[in-house]
Amino acid sequence: KRMSQLAGYDIGQQIRTAALQAEIGAFADADYALFKALQSEPKNLAARRAQVELSLRKGAWQEAMQRADAVLADTPDFAPAL
């Protein structure tokens, strides 16, 4: 969580932080980093895609589908969410 706090609201840094945290299995911290990234820009596609990927990595299939559906509802032509 400390890494996310240091990154502030830099979306790119938060996404990179989340990826590193997910690599070591710190899923709650990765969720927090992406949550923080989306606080400043709620519709950021890169952060939302990272949330979907994180949910898949955690094995939270239903959560991943809900997040992917939300991305597609907002941006139907966003191919990575398909």
Side-chain angles (χ1 to χ4, degrees):
K1 204 170 193 177
R2 179 79 174 128
M3 288 173 63
S4 292
Q5 293 168 339
L6 292 173
Y9 288 94
D10 180 321
I11 292 173
Q13 187 61 42
Q14 290 292 359
I15 292 169
R16 287 187 293 278
T17 296
L20 291 170
Q21 291 168 326
E23 280 292 315
I24 62 169
F27 298 127
D29 292 335
D31 271 327
Y32 175 76
L34 294 172
F35 168 79
K36 193 167 177 186
L38 289 165
Q39 280 184 318
S40 62
E41 195 176 323
K43 299 292 183 183
N44 182 282
L45 289 176
R48 293 174 78 192
R49 178 182 176 181
Q51 278 189 319
V52 173
E53 291 171 357
L54 179 61
S55 295
L56 291 171
R57 207 163 179 174
K58 294 188 303 186
W61 314 117
Q62 179 111 12
E63 179 182 85
M65 286 300 298
Q66 289 171 344
R67 287 177 167 175
D69 286 344
V71 170
L72 286 173
D74 292 341
T75 315
D77 60 344
F78 186 60
L82 301 172

